[in-house]
Each structure stands twice: as C-alpha cells, then as structure tokens.
Amino acid sequence: MTAQIALPATFNDFLGNSTAIEHLRTAIAAGRLPHSLILAGPSGAGKYTLALMLAMAVECQRQPRDLWSNGQSLASFCGVCHNCTRIASAATLEDEIDKAVAAREELREVDKKDTRILVQPHPDVLIVPPDPPQLLIKLGQIRTVIQRSHYLPNEAPRKIFILTAANMMKEAANSLLKVLEEPPETVHIIILAENPGELLPTIRSRCATVRLGALPVEEIEMLLTDRRPDVPPKQRTLIARLAQGAAGKALGFDLEAYTASRADALLFLRNAAASSSGSAEPDHTALFKMTETYRAGAEGQQKTTALLRSLSLLLEDLLLLGAGTPELLRNTDLRPELDRLSSTLNFAWIESASRGLDQVQSGMRRNLLRSLSLDAFAGQLAAR
C-alpha cells in the first residue's frame, strides 16, 4: 500500500503551469470547459492530480471563486463538501486500482474476464485506468463510459470521465470516437496523455489539448530540498535532472529502481560499442540473460517501460555530448562512461538506435513478446 497522497489544497499550490491552469479555471467559472479535453505532459507532471482538481472545481457544492487582478472570475473548490471529499479520495490511484483488481479476483472465473477495472469515487465521476495485466484501456471500459454518459448526473452538475492514459485497444479507441463526436451536454471527458500522438488523429481533433510544460531543473531541485531533505544533495541534483521537469516524478523518484534499469540499458550500449569498435567481443551472453528477465504481465511491462525510458535518456545524453552541450546532461554521475561511449557511437548510430527504440515501444503496445523484442533490438544495435 502506498502512502496516502493529499491533493494540493488550492490551485495556487499546484506546481508550475499557472497560465494553463488559470485558463482552465476561467473556462469552468464561465461554464465553457470543453466537453472533451486532453491533458498532455510527461509522467509526473501532475496530469492526474490536475484532472481531479478540475473535477472538484466543476462538482464542488460551494463553488468558491477567486478573482484575477483584471476582475476575471476563477473557479476553485472548497475541498470539504461531500462532492470534493469523495473525488479527492481517489488521489492515490494505484491503491484504488489495487482494490479494484482485488475485488475482481474474488469473482467467479466466468465473471472475471467480463469485468473491467474502473474507479468510481463519486456517482458522477468515473476514472478509467489501463486494465491489467495488458495495461491497455479496453472496449468494455469505454462501453461503460458511453452507457453512463447518456444518463443525467445523480448528485452533481456534470458527469466527468477521466481516462488516465492514452494507450487503448483499437476497438476501444474507435468506440470512444462515438461519444466524442456528440458528447452529451452534461458530460466532460478528460484524457491524460504522456504522448498525445498515441491517440487516433480523429480523437485528437475532437478534443481541446492543454499541455503541462516542464519545470526548470533549479526549481525541481529547490522543491526536493524542501520536500525530501532526507535525500543527499548529490542525489537531489541527479534526480532533478532525471525527472525531466516533472515535479511529481521528482518527489516520488525511486533512484535505486532507476539505476537498476539503467544498468540494464547500459548493457545494450556497451554491447553495441564493443561491436562498433571491434576492440572487444560484445557480451551477448550477459545481454540475453538480462532480457530473459523481462517477462509478460503487468510487472514485466512496467520493468520494460523503465528500461526503455532509461535507455532513451542515455541516448539523449549521448546526443548532447555530440552536440557539445555537456552541461545539459541528465545522467551526470555517468559522465566518464558517457564520454567513452560517445567516442564510439556516432550521430547516425544514435539516430538509428532511437528509431529502433520507437519500434520496440510500438511493439509493446501491440503486446509482442518483450524478451524477444529486446533481443531483436539488441541484435540490431550490434549490427549497426
């Protein structure tokens, strides 16, 4: 069980992106919040937190208002009414998903396959996460959204549906289009997306998009100093760079887990560098032994995602070194090794490796065998 997460008490306590948030608050106050909205931004940027806060502002029974300096009204929430407290109860999404999965496991086998994971903290707010173990939003979940969207709200002004990821099964994405084309007047659908490009163009065209930008490294480091004083200064500096401008990612960053996945990612690069230089035999044995540990299921997917992210950051660092901008490196603790790799792996190789990485990520979305995909990718890297 993860620690209880408290939502920011006010919109002013949300870190960063104040202009985008003010526009959303103005829209809610004026009754013009788009019926279909994409909140885009990196993992840890606060998309889910913001989505819950927007839901609270829409559904709050007291409907408090703040004023801009120009007199413009900004929607807010009280945080204590019955609607606010129930919506806020879903702040720890992982715990809510775990409860839903546990409840599904208690069902008869014949019922399990037809039961999809949904989180409903309030009768008029439904949260739709990727369904384990494939971690994709599935057709059954979207059918529930469509069905419930046609009913009037029970206890609040609007019905709000929050889809917590952009990775959907094809049938689910096509089905979602039906409700996006003609959303009921009392419905708001909020889609959270790290990469909106994963969504169908027809879905993107029917939604307003709000992007949450990255915070400066210095601001992230100050936040860590304030909120995580237990972390040594050198580690805080490293985490601030690895968090990629996402405050939430920085505060919850597991450096030990990251360095473990990065160690696996380095095996790929060392193997490729040995092949490229011809100075040593590439260590295929160690590499393939490592990829065998990337099994199927939700845990395997999370482990693979962490590996691919760390590999992506390492490739970015190699590009930064090649471009003569080492001050922008993220993996600052690996500078000597990155320098060695950079001297062997040229820009054309890094570009090709990045394309291969995209193909592996695409294969994951199509549910290809992970260990085989990684083996094939390693072989391609060594051959380049």
Side-chain angles (χ1 to χ4, degrees):
M1 204 80 159
T2 54
Q4 182 64 37
I5 295 174
L7 292 177
T10 70
F11 280 105
N12 291 331
D13 296 324
F14 188 89
L15 296 165
N17 296 284
S18 57
T19 301
I21 291 170
E22 284 168 356
H23 286 314
L24 288 167
R25 295 176 66 191
T26 301
I28 293 172
R32 295 197 305 268
L33 183 70
H35 289 289
S36 305
L37 176 67
I38 296 170
L39 289 182
S43 172
K47 299 184 296 298
Y48 179 68
T49 295
L50 180 57
L52 288 184
M53 294 171 75
L54 294 175
M56 290 164 69
V58 170
E59 311 287 40
C60 180
Q61 293 168 314
R62 300 184 182 182
Q63 289 293 304
R65 293 290 183 262
D66 296 328
L67 290 179
W68 249 354
S69 56
N70 64 1
Q72 182 77 52
S73 180
L74 297 173
S76 191
F77 54 86
C78 70
V80 296
C81 73
H82 200 37
N83 287 349
C84 282
T85 54
R86 283 186 289 178
I87 295 169
S89 71
T92 313
L93 181 60
E94 288 184 8
D95 282 356
E96 298 305 313
I97 293 172
D98 287 345
K99 291 175 190 174
V101 170
R104 181 165 67 182
E105 287 302 310
E106 294 297 318
L107 298 175
R108 296 179 305 166
E109 286 298 324
V110 69
D111 296 324
K112 282 183 187 179
K113 64 178 182 179
D114 295 324
T115 302
R116 293 289 162 240
I117 298 303
L118 298 163
V119 176
Q120 184 148 28
H122 182 284
D124 298 312
V125 177
L126 184 68
I127 298 162
V128 183
D131 194 293
Q134 294 90 349
L135 293 179
L136 295 168
I137 290 178
K138 297 179 181 174
L139 179 59
Q141 292 169 297
I142 299 302
R143 281 179 172 164
T144 301
V145 170
I146 294 171
Q147 178 192 27
R148 297 188 187 183
S149 70
H150 291 301
Y151 290 94
L152 291 173
N154 291 308
E155 301 179 21
R158 304 279 179 178
K159 278 193 171 289
I160 297 176
F161 301 92
I162 300 172
L163 281 62
T164 68
N167 45 322
M168 305 181 195
M169 294 183 71
K170 185 178 179 181
E171 298 86 350
N174 288 331
S175 189
L176 180 63
L177 273 173
K178 297 174 185 176
V179 72
L180 294 180
E181 285 169 353
E182 294 183 23
E185 186 62 31
T186 56
V187 165
H188 294 291
I189 296 173
I190 303 174
I191 305 172
L192 314 184
E194 286 186 41
N195 176 16
E198 291 184 1
L199 295 166
L200 293 175
T202 42
I203 288 179
R204 298 199 303 271
S205 68
R206 287 164 174 76
C207 300
T209 299
V210 174
R211 296 183 182 277
L212 301 185
L215 299 179
V217 170
E218 296 77 16
E219 196 169 330
I220 296 285
E221 196 164 354
M222 288 173 58
L223 175 68
L224 288 168
T225 301
D226 180 49
R227 303 273 191 93
R228 293 187 61 182
D230 55 305
V231 178
K234 282 187 177 180
Q235 290 188 12
R236 286 201 297 264
T237 300
L238 180 59
I239 290 171
R241 288 181 172 273
L242 293 171
Q244 296 175 279
K249 182 188 285 188
L251 290 173
F253 201 92
D254 186 339
L255 191 57
E256 184 178 351
Y258 172 76
T259 51
S261 65
R262 189 180 64 178
D264 286 350
L266 281 168
L267 266 179
F268 282 90
L269 298 181
R270 290 173 186 146
N271 200 61
S275 297
S276 297
S277 66
S279 59
E281 279 295 315
D283 192 359
H284 291 301
T285 303
L287 186 67
F288 294 152
K289 186 177 180 181
M290 178 267 288
T291 59
E292 282 178 1
T293 67
Y294 287 75
R295 298 298 185 187
E299 184 179 344
Q301 183 175 37
Q302 291 164 357
K303 186 177 179 182
T304 307
T305 299
L307 169 69
L308 298 179
R309 280 181 176 158
S310 58
L311 186 53
S312 178
L313 287 176
L314 290 169
L315 290 173
E316 284 181 24
D317 280 351
L318 292 175
L319 283 175
L320 291 169
L321 283 174
T325 53
E327 68 277 4
L328 298 178
L329 286 182
R330 299 190 188 279
N331 294 279
T332 49
D333 58 325
L334 289 182
R335 177 64 190 276
E337 175 149 23
L338 290 171
D339 280 334
R340 287 193 296 272
L341 291 169
S342 180
S343 66
T344 305
L345 304 173
N346 58 28
F347 175 80
W349 184 92
I350 296 170
E351 183 183 32
S352 181
S354 297
R355 286 199 299 270
L357 191 61
D358 288 340
Q359 290 172 358
V360 176
Q361 290 170 327
S362 175
M364 279 185 63
R365 290 193 288 272
R366 298 197 307 276
N367 232 15
L368 299 183
L369 286 173
R370 294 185 192 106
S371 59
L372 293 181
S373 295
L374 292 173
D375 285 347
F377 178 52
Q380 290 167 9
L381 292 183
R384 288 188 173 105

